[in-house]
Amino acid sequence: MTAAASPLPTTTPNLRLALGALGVVFGDIGTSPLYAFRESFIGSHPLPIDPLHVMGVLSLIFWALILVVTVKYVLITMRADNRGEGGSFALLALIRRVAPSARLLPAIAMAALMATALFYGDAVITPAISILSAVEGLTLIHENFAVVVIPITLVITVALFAIQHFGTTVVGRYFGPIMLAWFVVIGLLGVANIVQRPGVLLAANPFYAFAFVGNDPVRAFLTLGTVVLTITGAEALYADMGHFGRRPIARAWLLAVLPALLLCYAGQAALLLEDPTAVEQIFYLLAPRWALWPLLALATMATVIASQSAVSGAFSVTQQALQLGYLPRLRIVHTSADERGQVFAPAVNALLCVTVIALVLGFRSSTALASAFGFAVTSTMVLTTLMIGFVIFRIWRLRRIWMIALYAVLLFFDLALFGASATKIPDGAWLPLGIAILLMVLFTTWGRGRMLLAQRRARHAIPVADFLQACARVPRVPGLAVYFTHDPDGVPTALLHSLKHYHVLHERVLLLTIRTALTPHVKHVHRLHFEELAPGTARAILTFGFRDEPNVPKALGFLPPGWQEDPMRTGYVLGRQILVPAKRPGMPMWREILFAAMVRLSGAAMEYYRLPPDRVVELGSQVEI
């Protein structure tokens, strides 16, 4: 009895996590049946509706879900975790930590940045196409409802972004059950239609895909650009791994999501072969007419959840970019006291909202948006495959005899999907590409500018030992002064300006440097490195994980007893540099101007580091870059 009962404590949390993963991880890929299958037959390159093409498309979808999602992500990529975290930045941090001197590291860093930039392009299209595709089902109830599709979509979109500041703690607990109901329903709808033509199940045989490619190679290649719509959101399995863990996500995919998707797509193929006129609203016509209203309501909830997943992912990626030094400081609000991953970025939320509204008004239908969708996804997948190749062959060092063959198949399939999606650039895929290029310019400009600025500071910095010797007789006043400095070996400019103006030093002076680890989280007891340099003067280095909240006063609570001070007798001194673009080697003038503008728009360090407003002093200086 005891042995039989022991697995319950472990199994129950895993099942809860798997249910939670259904609501957060699989929203995007789970709502793809609303529009993905039909686009092969009504999109930019429509296929004839006959057994060769319908079965060929279904076979391609089947193997895309198996090879890309199941094999590549679930079985391989999700094993390349960085202390439980996944995603492009986590993978980059893992490679930096394990192979810091690798010659390919700069190229891998650029690939991770580009993958992240492309994610934002995907994050703005997902809400627009998902909500539009669900609301368009109203036209089946009555054709006059077509005029309200856009207004209803805009109302739902505005409401979605308006509630973001509340966080997903309360709403999130309902996401899993709703998505579970969604997957059960679409699976049953698929079965109900498969019964009419059970032969569609034979599409699991790759012969049908090869027959399609052999008989109609050009259109088969172009069709890959719509087949990729069935795997949009696959990257979320890896990116959200830190929230739920690898096993719960894998179980949710294998036991619920994958069977439901395969059955739903097979049901759509069966219905299309039975009634080719159903192609415009193939998903909703899977259901009997009496079920349209409930199905429409469920689909709308599912697409809102899918949109929420994309938006929350954008907030999380933004936080990681800030911590790793690729974006200027932005206001980040932690919406949950219990869950570290739940954050809200007001500026990002506003930009996403405006962009999604513009997409809805500009494209006006899910079919038109489908041309823009997919390119960012396939680009990210290719970049992830290239990065994971480094892990497979340089870090894991698996047996190459069979791993090279498997990796070649996965890379070839990703490149084929990418090539087909690239043909849609003139039709709308230019949008996520343009967003990604703009963000790459911002990422690289900020990273390069920070490096040049650090070099300028280091060149003119005074060694701490010389400073201590020069001011040995300077009067001291009670209290603790914390001076922020990027260079732990030099004296911060703010300290020199303070001494120049006030001619005194505090009783205790702490030179504080903030660093970001190549791991997602650093325990509180391991964050602080303290070194006393002289009586009354010390150096401290605080290290946060790239997903931690940089709360400096809380972290300084671990200072040695002799350095603990009453909060009202502790002051924080920040240096604010006013950048002056100059014709110096390093960056073109236009990038220096852009970097200076980004510095001006950067959020206050006081808020970012959670410093008490009434205990902060800022001292400015001009620096040429």
Side-chain angles (χ1 to χ4, degrees), residues 91-401:
L91 184 57
L92 171 61
L94 169 68
I95 295 172
R96 278 182 173 174
R97 179 165 55 85
V98 178
S101 58
R103 288 183 297 176
L104 291 175
L105 196 55
I108 293 172
M110 291 300 293
L113 283 180
M114 192 65 189
T116 303
L118 287 161
F119 172 81
Y120 283 97
D122 184 41
V124 295
I125 299 177
T126 294
I129 193 172
S130 298
I131 298 173
L132 263 176
S133 61
V135 178
E136 285 170 348
L138 286 170
T139 58
L140 280 177
I141 297 171
H142 199 286
E143 60 183 14
N144 290 340
F145 282 150
V147 296
V148 300
V149 168
I150 299 298
I152 291 177
T153 300
L154 292 177
V155 169
I156 295 174
T157 299
V158 172
L160 171 69
F161 287 99
I163 65 172
Q164 291 303 313
H165 69 282
F166 292 112
T168 57
T169 305
V170 178
V171 183
R173 67 171 65 113
Y174 301 105
F175 283 6
I178 291 173
M179 290 306 296
L180 178 60
W182 168 257
F183 289 120
V184 170
V185 168
I186 66 173
L188 291 176
L189 289 177
V191 170
N193 287 268
I194 291 171
V195 170
Q196 306 301 318
R197 293 185 73 111
V200 294
L201 296 177
L202 296 174
N205 187 337
F207 165 80
Y208 289 93
F210 289 127
F212 176 25
V213 174
N215 284 274
D216 201 349
V218 175
R219 282 199 286 197
F221 173 72
L222 296 174
T223 300
L224 289 176
T226 55
V227 169
V228 73
L229 298 178
T230 64
I231 55 174
T232 57
E235 191 73 19
L237 277 72
Y238 184 45
D240 289 325
M241 190 167 58
H243 295 287
F244 302 99
R246 181 172 63 85
R247 289 188 176 181
I249 291 176
R251 287 174 180 173
W253 169 254
L254 295 173
L255 298 178
V257 183
L258 178 61
L261 291 178
L262 292 177
L263 290 172
C264 187
Y265 286 125
Q268 293 186 40
L271 176 59
L272 190 59
L273 289 173
E274 196 73 26
D275 181 13
T277 62
V279 65
E280 291 286 344
Q281 290 290 353
I282 188 70
F283 173 79
Y284 284 107
L285 290 175
L286 290 175
R289 190 163 186 83
W290 60 264
L292 281 180
W293 276 112
L295 183 59
L296 180 64
L298 182 59
T300 302
M301 288 189 288
T303 54
V304 169
I305 292 172
S307 304
Q308 175 66 54
S309 302
V311 174
S312 299
F315 296 156
S316 179
V317 167
T318 299
Q319 183 198 27
Q320 293 182 42
L322 296 182
Q323 290 285 74
L324 292 174
Y326 292 114
L327 279 177
R329 284 188 300 268
L330 298 174
R331 185 179 173 221
I332 298 291
V333 179
H334 291 258
T335 58
S336 173
D338 303 318
E339 298 293 334
R340 286 183 287 189
Q342 293 189 11
V343 295
F344 169 62
V348 176
N349 188 62
L351 287 173
L352 289 177
C353 183
V354 171
T355 307
V356 171
I357 291 174
L359 287 178
V360 172
L361 293 175
F363 286 86
R364 306 191 69 82
S365 74
S366 59
T367 298
L369 268 169
S371 297
F373 209 26
F375 177 76
V377 176
T378 56
S379 303
T380 303
M381 287 179 176
V382 170
L383 293 170
T384 300
T385 302
L386 293 175
M387 288 190 288
I388 206 68
F390 183 89
V391 175
I392 290 172
F393 298 114
R394 293 291 303 276
I395 297 178
W396 291 346
R397 299 184 182 276
L398 299 176
R399 295 186 64 180
R400 299 194 175 194
I401 295 176

Side-chain angles (χ1 to χ4, degrees), residues 55-70 200-206 209 227 230-231 253 258 262-263 265-266 413:
M55 293 292 286
V57 169
L58 182 59
S59 186
L60 287 173
I61 291 173
F62 175 86
W63 286 104
L65 291 171
I66 295 298
L67 288 176
V68 176
V69 186
T70 308
V200 294
L201 296 177
L202 296 174
N205 187 337
V227 169
T230 64
I231 55 174
W253 169 254
L258 178 61
L262 292 177
L263 290 172
Y265 286 125
F413 201 80

Side-chain angles (χ1 to χ4, degrees), residues 413-475:
F413 201 80
D414 279 352
L415 290 173
L417 293 172
F418 170 76
S421 300
T423 63
K424 299 193 294 184
I425 290 178
D427 299 320
W430 53 265
L431 177 66
L433 179 61
I435 293 174
I437 292 174
L438 174 61
L439 287 172
M440 278 296 292
V441 171
L442 295 178
F443 288 156
T444 54
T445 297
W446 184 256
R448 178 67 176 168
R450 288 180 74 246
M451 185 186 71
L452 292 174
L453 193 57
Q455 291 175 352
R456 301 276 191 272
R457 291 195 192 107
R459 193 174 300 133
H460 298 96
I462 299 175
V464 175
D466 295 348
F467 173 80
L468 293 175
Q469 185 178 5
C471 61
R473 298 184 179 181
V474 173

